[in-house]
Amino acid sequence: MAERYDIAILGSGEAGIFAAYELTRQAPQLKVVVLEKGHGIHHRHCPIVAGKVQACSGCAVCDTMCGFGGAGAFSDGKYNFTTAFGGWLTDYMPPEEVMALIEYVDSINVLHGATEEVFSTDSPAARDLQRRALGYDLHLLQARCKHLGTENNLKILASIYDALKDKVEFRFDCGVSAIERDGNGYRLTLERGGEAACRCLIAAPGRSGAEWFAGQCKALGLKLINNQVDVGVRVELPAAVFEHITDVVYESKLVYRTKQYGDTVRTFCMNPYGHVVAENVEGINTVNGHSYSDPALRSANTNFALLVSNRFTQPFDQPYRYGKHIASLSNMLAGGVLVQRFGDLVKGVRTNEHRLSKSMTRPTLAAAVPGDLSLALPKRQLDDIIEMLYQLDKLAPGTANHDTLLYGAEVKFYSSRLTLSEELETELPCFFAAGDGAGVTRGLAQAGASGVKAARAAVKRFV
């Protein structure tokens, strides 16, 4: 017989965590369960992040992507105070409300050890940088930003978990295989056997659960809207090249519309003095970046993603699978993450071990295999990336140097979006969706905010 709960939360990523946190504040009398297919925060140990192995060892459940803290647990913890990017919550509520929620989530992080230092964009140096960027048709998106740091981010999450563990039931290593209607509530079939039933459901499946969640929504008769898929590479170069930018705006998001195709290309996840890392998304090796607060853990390089946004129209309805297919091509060629010098790419030459050994920029991801990105990425996206690198070179001379390293593929997956109310409720009663995996956010700040919003709405159903 299924154990019954007032509210069940699917996933313990940023959205699920802050949904649970808000429920303990607003309605501590409710019986709440969090179902998570990954491990608890004290048992998440990615062997790559720990430096025990150089390449992905293919864990049954990826500790980088799954578990308490979700994909953000091993990120470098950039927290952006803005509605200009990081999600689509303003489609459902006024910008002022979104910002209030973002500030509220930050206040909880601070209670659990987050820094109070904020990198401001409202300075003469930042405004001057924005003006210079515009001179090259590069648009600098301005936002206040906190850098939590990869090592500190884990400590914050551990503190939050310790505050919640006696107030909310967490069931780790407990994936859900199916969601079904059950009278006025919902019945959840668990992967390892058994069921759980609830009156209200908050789905926060995270990026690793996005494809599964889309399938469940279709089975429940919920209509989905195609979301974008961002495809690109991670750029690594000497930190000195971007110091005049990262010293002023830590998380510099530069957007450019290419002249050749009119496509939008943007920088993302800037990591000054950082490290390039591999991550596993449902068996596909992609690339990401980290940076640390501790100077002793820093490298001599800066890395960032260059992403081309792809939005699809009917009849195509599988953008998630499209992104996975592109990433799988680089896996096929390199057995994992592929790396190429920019000069070799432009010349149409495959980077090999000999050429890479001559590079003045030393790769921080030692497991990356030298190869040819033109055999993995579609020509249009690759043309966009090359054009963007030359444009960035005007603002940051040295970006388009021969030895600038490009890792591929970097793919950001977002679930198809549901039709949601202003309270993030689906077309089914008392079924809410939040976070990146539900297609409404794409970053720590708005993901946490969406979890709080969904929790507050769910509480109203019990008044």
Side-chain angles (χ1 to χ4, degrees):
M1 184 175 178
E3 187 166 359
R4 303 200 67 85
Y5 298 90
D6 294 314
I7 300 176
I9 300 172
L10 298 186
S12 63
E14 192 79 358
I17 288 169
F18 282 97
Y21 202 101
E22 189 65 8
L23 289 173
T24 65
R25 285 189 164 188
Q26 298 281 342
Q29 76 281 5
L30 295 179
K31 187 178 182 181
V32 178
V33 66
V34 180
L35 302 172
E36 168 60 56
K37 70 177 180 179
H39 303 322
I41 189 64
H42 297 297
H43 297 91
R44 290 185 68 179
H45 305 290
C46 174
I48 297 177
V49 176
K52 295 179 180 179
V53 298
Q54 292 186 340
C56 178
S57 53
C59 300
V61 176
C62 178
D63 261 337
T64 301
M65 300 298 293
C66 303
F68 189 91
F74 290 106
S75 75
D76 70 322
K78 294 187 185 71
Y79 193 92
N80 293 299
F81 297 81
T82 182
T83 60
F85 52 85
W88 299 272
L89 287 184
T90 53
D91 289 357
Y92 309 103
M93 62 193 90
E96 297 79 12
E97 183 178 357
V98 177
M99 284 303 302
L101 288 167
I102 289 173
E103 297 279 1
Y104 175 71
V105 170
D106 175 62
S107 71
I108 295 170
N109 282 330
V110 170
L111 283 175
H112 292 277
T115 179
E116 296 195 54
E117 181 186 8
V118 179
F119 292 90
S120 175
T121 58
D122 188 27
S123 68
R127 290 192 293 272
D128 179 64
L129 177 62
Q130 187 177 40
R131 284 192 295 269
R132 283 188 287 134
L134 283 171
Y136 304 116
D137 202 13
L138 292 164
H139 301 262
L140 179 64
L141 301 183
Q142 301 280 43
R144 290 182 297 126
C145 176
K146 278 189 178 183
H147 177 224
L148 305 179
T150 302
E151 73 280 31
N152 293 330
N153 196 31
L154 287 168
K155 294 176 183 177
I156 295 164
L157 288 169
S159 176
I160 291 174
Y161 171 71
D162 289 340
L164 289 176
K165 64 182 180 180
D166 296 326
K167 302 175 183 178
V168 172
E169 181 180 347
F170 285 94
R171 297 173 69 173
F172 296 111
D173 306 306
C174 186
V176 174
S177 60
I179 303 171
E180 297 177 279
R181 296 292 302 274
D182 181 28
N184 293 325
Y186 300 90
R187 184 175 297 270
L188 311 172
T189 303
L190 308 180
E191 289 180 351
R192 294 192 175 183
E195 295 178 325
C198 60
R199 178 177 164 189
C200 272
L201 179 64
I202 299 176
R207 293 181 184 178
S208 64
E211 190 172 21
W212 168 83
F213 183 60
Q216 294 300 308
C217 290
K218 288 180 181 179
L220 289 165
L222 295 170
K223 294 180 181 179
L224 297 169
I225 305 167
N226 281 344
N227 235 357
Q228 70 189 51
V229 175
D230 296 337
V231 176
V233 298
R234 184 151 290 263
V235 181
E236 185 169 43
L237 37 66
V241 174
F242 262 75
E243 270 180 346
H244 67 293
I245 296 174
T246 56
D247 284 354
V248 173
V249 182
Y250 185 88
E251 172 68 337
S252 51
K253 292 187 182 290
L254 292 155
V255 180
Y256 174 69
R257 189 174 297 280
T258 62
K259 303 300 182 287
Q260 185 173 4
Y261 300 113
D263 294 336
T264 298
V265 190
R266 62 189 174 95
T267 64
F268 177 78
C269 189
M270 187 77 64
N271 293 291
Y273 316 102
H275 297 262
V276 177
V277 297
E279 65 182 24
N280 186 305
V281 181
E282 297 178 358
I284 303 296
N285 287 312
T286 60
V287 65
N288 210 327
H290 290 174
S291 60
Y292 297 89
S293 296
D294 185 351
L297 299 174
R298 294 175 180 174
S299 77
N301 296 343
T302 285
N303 70 76
F304 57 90
L306 275 188
L307 299 174
V308 183
S309 296
N310 303 268
R311 193 172 289 278
F312 302 93
T313 57
Q314 297 297 331
F316 185 75
D317 64 352
Q318 300 183 72
Y320 193 96
R321 290 189 63 186
Y322 171 80
K324 284 182 67 176
H325 176 72
I326 290 175
S328 69
L329 291 177
S330 65
N331 287 192
M332 184 187 300
L333 292 167
V337 174
L338 188 154
V339 63
Q340 186 172 22
R341 297 187 301 175
F342 181 61
D344 292 339
L345 174 65
V346 173
K347 289 167 62 178
V349 176
R350 174 182 174 271
T351 298
N352 55 28
E353 291 283 359
H354 176 68
R355 294 190 179 98
L356 187 62
S357 69
K358 293 183 176 182
S359 175
M360 299 297 289
T361 303
R362 307 307 302 165
T364 55
L365 180 59
V369 177
D372 188 350
L373 286 166
S374 69
L375 298 177
L377 292 177
K379 179 180 183 300
R380 178 166 178 155
Q381 282 92 333
L382 207 53
D383 287 347
D384 287 335
I385 288 165
I386 291 171
E387 184 178 334
M388 175 62 152
L389 283 166
Y390 280 126
Q391 204 68 15
L392 284 173
D393 193 68
K394 298 173 182 177
L395 182 66
T399 301
N401 282 354
H402 190 98
D403 287 341
T404 290
L405 300 178
L406 308 178
Y407 298 82
E410 178 141 351
V411 181
K412 298 303 180 189
F413 306 99
Y414 308 108
S415 175
S416 297
R417 294 173 68 186
L418 290 160
T419 298
L420 300 175
S421 72
E422 62 183 16
E423 293 189 317
L424 304 184
E425 188 174 21
T426 71
E427 294 171 306
L428 295 177
C430 221
F431 182 170
F432 303 88
D436 289 20
V440 295
T441 66
R442 57 179 188 186
L444 294 178
Q446 288 204 35
S450 70
V452 173
K453 178 69 175 181
R456 290 176 178 175
V459 167
K460 294 177 184 176
R461 304 301 189 272
F462 294 88
V463 175

